[in-house]
Amino acid sequence: ADEASAAEAAVRRAEEAEEERAEELRCTQREELRLEAEEAEGRCWFLTELANEVALQADVRLLERYEAEADSELRRALHAAEMRCSLLEAVAHLASAGAAPADR
């Protein structure tokens, strides 16, 4: 009976030791998963910041292109207005030159 009790006690201790090792393994695995999750979150934030910077640079380039197009359009409009003014000045000069002899 004593041998059976001793064997049962040894089996219980072995089972308890196995359960402790299993719990330690689970804790270690949870800690490793937590660390991996933190690293993944850090990479995610880095990539998000990188994507935001790339998008910002693309927006800046697009705005610069729009600005250049607007400047070019304004220059064309200014040139056209200057040409119209020159034409109107020439017409006015011709009209005044033509009207002057008739007044005499």
Side-chain angles (χ1 to χ4, degrees):
D2 287 335
E3 286 181 19
S5 295
E8 288 175 5
V11 168
R12 277 194 307 275
R13 284 193 302 275
E15 288 173 347
E16 289 171 359
E18 181 62 30
E19 185 59 39
E20 286 178 18
R21 283 192 297 275
E23 181 59 29
E24 288 174 5
L25 181 60
R26 284 190 295 273
C27 287
T28 301
Q29 289 172 337
R30 279 194 296 269
E31 181 63 17
E32 288 173 358
L33 287 174
R34 186 187 65 76
L35 291 174
E36 287 178 22
E38 286 179 3
E39 289 174 8
E41 186 175 337
R43 286 190 306 272
C44 182
W45 277 108
F46 171 76
L47 292 173
T48 299
E49 290 296 318
L50 182 62
N52 286 339
E53 184 63 28
V54 168
L56 176 63
Q57 292 301 320
D59 288 346
V60 167
R61 284 191 301 275
L62 185 61
L63 288 173
E64 288 171 347
R65 191 177 92 210
Y66 288 160
E67 182 180 27
E69 289 174 4
D71 285 348
S72 178
E73 187 62 34
L74 285 173
R75 276 191 228 100
R76 282 193 294 273
L78 178 60
H79 180 70
E82 288 172 345
M83 294 300 289
R84 284 191 303 275
C85 285
S86 294
L87 180 60
L88 290 173
E89 285 175 356
V91 168
H93 178 69
L94 288 174
S96 68
D103 290 340
R104 291 187 196 162

